[in-house]
Amino acid sequence: MKVLFLQTRASVLPLSSVSEDLGCRRGEFSRKHYGSVELLISSDADGAIQRAGRFRVENGSSDDSTDYTPGTWRRTDVHLENPEYHTRWYFKYFLGKVHQNYVGTDAEKNPFFLSVVLSDQNNQRVPQYRAILWRKTGTQKICLPYCPTKTLSVKSILSAMNLDRFEKSPREILNPEIQKDLLVLEEQEGSVNFKFGVLFAKDGQLTDDEMFSNEAGSESFQKLLNLFGDTITLKSWVGYRGGLDTKNDTTGIHSIYTVYQGHEIMFHVSTMLPYSRENKQQVERKRHIGNDIVTIVFQEGDEASSAFKPSMIRSHFTHIFALVRYNKQNDSYRLKIFSEESVPLFGPPLPSPPVFTDHQEFRDFLLVKLINGEKATLETPTFAQKRQRTLDMLIRSLYQDLMPDLHKNMLNRRSFSDVLPESPKSARKKEEARQAEFARIGQALKLKTIVRGDAPTSLATTGLCRKEPWESQCFCNSFTHEALGGDSWGQSLLVSTDAGVLLIDDGQPSVTVFDKTFQIKQMHVLENLDLLITRVDKGKEARLYVFRLSSIKKGLEDKQVMKSKYECRENKLEKTKGCHLYAINTHHSNELRIVAAIRNKLLLITRKNKQINSFTGFTVMSPSTESPVEEFQYIREICLSDPPVVMTLVDGPTGENDNMICVAYRHQFDLVNESTGESCRLHHVDASRVHFVAAIDVYEDGEAGLLLCYNYMCYYKKVCPFNGGSPLIQPSASDFHFSWNQVPNAVVCAFPYILAFTTDSIEIRLVVNGNLVHTAVVPELQLVGSRSDIYFKATAAVGSSSNSSSKDTSSHSSPMTPTGYELPVFPSSPGEVQCRNIYKIPLSNLVGRSIERPLKSPLVPKVITTPTSIGLSGIPVTHSLSLSRMEIKEIASRTRKELLGLSEESAPKSESSHKQKKLGRKPTDEDSKQETPDSPSTERINLGSFESNSEGQQHCSTSSDPDTNISVEESPPFNNSPFLLAASFDEDIVDLK
């Protein structure tokens, strides 16, 4: 394989590091925001050492040289990581629906279970298969595309999960009681409810005996408890009790309780637990708080007083401590987090400085931080090994229970049967009856889980309506062309289509730059270098073309005729004939390098020295030459063993013989030295089939790293600088990997997020740990450009009636579909037109600050617009809802009727779930009749409002609902976003405070 390198030197431009330049486009990637590990030693009043431990300390990442005022801090987005309404698939998509379950043993004779369902993507008419593989090592979940002409087999599903060899082939389980056992397996992922310890510490207290012996708290401590939740009476309490006695008052009379985003939380407050004057160690208090994974320590005194250290607490179970201090002078809280060294990184990172003047904001941040922290702790070796042993025991026990059924014909003896096999006509009635019973048992089990309070819930039920950073804006309506690729040019989009290359600006008609004879497959707009780099055509006729942006802009201003391929012949780089792929370096302040792949040859091209205008930042070119071809020079060729499928340039720390090229081919990722051509193995792909997606260069605190994406996997590999001509590739503690739920077509990195674009969804995770934040359903999705702002093409359904969509989709979510002999059909509603639009996600929203790049639109030469970073202050504050236990049961009763098809179409929407009430208040007749159209839960649901279970239940109103009257101040309109999803009330636990 041959690689061409093109290089440019811009000696007049101010120098900047790779990480600085990349940070302008992708944000800052640094683990320093998540604290550093320290050895903490505690001593008594006499100075004698008591205990020591290694903890990661988070205290914000403020710059000491900067003068901060309380309440003004760097924006940090607050998200629940791996939220249950996105991760508990079996409860959400399988339970109560007709699906198939299989059992088998792998080559090591370990039993496994497989569950498969064909479902509609949350009423978006996107049918797809969802599969869950249950093994002793954990669960694996994937989505597979649905094709009406091709039946999916169990073998192909397991092969996609890298399970190809079996000791016993999978057989279908027909017993409907298996749903209960599989739900128990899913619940091993962790509880949906939490118990947090709260410890009151007076100023100067240095031991846990002193802290636990505080009989009562202070006024500021009580103020904090009132912020956390409601004071409840434990006796006869019917909600989540968190291990407290609710019958005989042996664990105290009162406690603090709340529900946050569907999670029930019970606080074990030290001053509310039983106090004993005779017992100095306060064993009863330590028994509860010492067995909590997370403990909040409220310490009185100013910053100069002795600081709390986790080693002061004698507990082998508590892994996370949240130290809270209250400042009466400015009515603010300061937060500090201690995490045991083995706990994986979890967000959100503390702001700089970690001071909160908005108390509701502090409550939201702290609860999210602690919920994420407890989930992260369950991934430590101590808890992971316990969970694995429990899961192994449950799976083996269930397998042994099912073995006798092999002789009773309760297992389908067809191995590798189709996921939805077609039944014989004579057996159809029997199969229909079995499926009806299967769905009935699943629905009853789901209802029981909801009433018990253990159901994973959706934010659609909490009334939390806020603008998420990934929310999109409609950039171009009714885009009828096929998009081949694109890139940002100022505030405009330069996109290659089947009709030519178009320049599109928001709200203006598109302008054709090149005609359809100039088919661009790949492009880069480099505004600071006044360059447009393109790869045109395919096969042997493919070439690289380079243009000056200023010449193109001048032609647009003069309204010249669009150029054809023949007219661009002077702009082609001759030696690049046959180029099927090219890559450029991510920062261009020192030197532009282009690597062109021509079969198995890499050609390195650079740009000759060129003066740069220090005022405008553009290249000073000779007026006699419009084509920049003569400015490029060919440096060397490098031959590879195979043509690369993916290619990325990695900048070395010095730029002197330490630049690298990451290439992917066959079953491996290799690193190639640009100077010597030497290659070394970076990562081997252990899979029968490989679908390479991307290799993304990231720079953590200035050091190079790579995100390697293929199939369902994404690996982060640290790349050390070259040493003696060879890169140091060795396992690092910072390396990690995670799995996507669906094979992506493209991956975009915008710190702190990494976004996977599939055929019908956008999966959003955090770069630092790979944890899932959100999954958005976007039908017929295609990424157009992502080097700056993210542009994508998707289908938006425009119906004749605002209510038709909800009515029609509910008919497809019946638990009786799909049947075993009839595949579901997901048609569009009558009178509905599918139109493709181009949407934009501003990069400044994702990375949390303005992007340092030219923002002058080529179509509006006299208008300069500057993007504003949307911080926390721009998010509308909506109070969460409160429901009593009786109201929850009332909702559960109504849900049961809806599940069984007893609800009437004319039945009014849920009003009790829309009301904000104090805990324990009983609903009155007046309340049940009162309507609240302006309640936060009836506001328009955006991408951050999350998805429904597609069960035909009641829907939240969207902005298209004429009955929803929302002012601009309450919820800013997000016009024509494909993420405005109709969310249904599929769960029944609602935020109580």
Side-chain angles (χ1 to χ4, degrees), residues 19-29 586 648 695-699 705 707 748-753 767 786-788 843 846-849 851:
S19 57
E20 287 175 351
D21 186 88
L22 198 63
C24 295
R25 295 189 294 105
R26 298 181 186 165
E28 299 174 356
F29 177 39
T586 55
T648 299
I696 304 175
D697 57 321
V698 295
Y699 297 87
L707 280 168
V748 178
C749 197
F751 307 127
Y753 308 105
V767 180
S786 62
R787 273 181 49 82
S788 184
L843 187 63
L846 290 172
V847 303
R849 60 192 180 95
I851 309 304

Side-chain angles (χ1 to χ4, degrees), residues 439-596:
R440 186 193 66 79
I441 291 178
Q443 291 168 359
L445 186 60
K446 194 166 194 175
L447 179 63
K448 183 178 179 181
T449 307
I450 292 174
V451 175
R452 192 173 67 238
D454 294 331
T457 59
S458 168
L459 278 186
T461 66
T462 66
L464 181 63
C465 228
R466 68 178 186 184
K467 183 174 182 180
E468 298 291 359
W470 49 75
E471 187 167 336
S472 67
Q473 309 163 358
C474 186
F475 186 76
C476 178
N477 285 312
S478 302
F479 189 79
T480 57
H481 306 291
E482 178 186 357
L484 306 177
D487 199 1
S488 300
W489 185 359
Q491 290 294 313
S492 302
L493 173 66
L494 191 64
V495 57
S496 174
T497 70
D498 52 351
V501 179
L502 308 177
L503 185 63
I504 305 173
D505 203 353
D506 191 6
Q508 297 191 21
S510 60
V511 177
T512 305
V513 180
F514 302 101
D515 65 14
K516 61 182 180 181
T517 63
F518 200 71
Q519 292 286 318
I520 295 179
K521 307 297 183 181
Q522 200 178 348
M523 73 168 69
H524 286 85
V525 176
L526 309 178
E527 297 176 71
N528 60 327
L529 299 179
D530 192 28
L531 285 177
L532 170 64
I533 304 174
T534 64
R535 176 172 63 86
V536 180
D537 286 339
K538 59 183 179 179
K540 295 182 179 179
E541 299 301 319
R543 278 190 175 88
L544 295 187
Y545 287 73
V546 291
F547 301 88
R548 295 194 195 280
L549 291 175
S550 54
S551 298
I552 298 176
K553 182 179 179 181
K554 187 175 184 301
L556 295 175
E557 293 173 347
D558 297 341
K559 297 184 179 180
Q560 296 179 359
V561 181
M562 54 188 174
K563 290 186 177 183
S564 63
K565 180 180 176 182
Y566 178 77
E567 294 172 316
C568 299
R569 59 189 183 277
E570 294 182 357
N571 295 84
K572 62 184 177 183
L573 298 174
E574 291 295 340
K575 292 188 178 182
T576 61
K577 185 177 180 181
C579 171
H580 70 277
L581 182 68
Y582 82 91
I584 68 172
N585 55 325
T586 55
H587 75 300
H588 325 113
S589 56
N590 292 333
E591 179 181 71
L592 171 65
R593 307 191 318 280
I594 304 175
V595 177

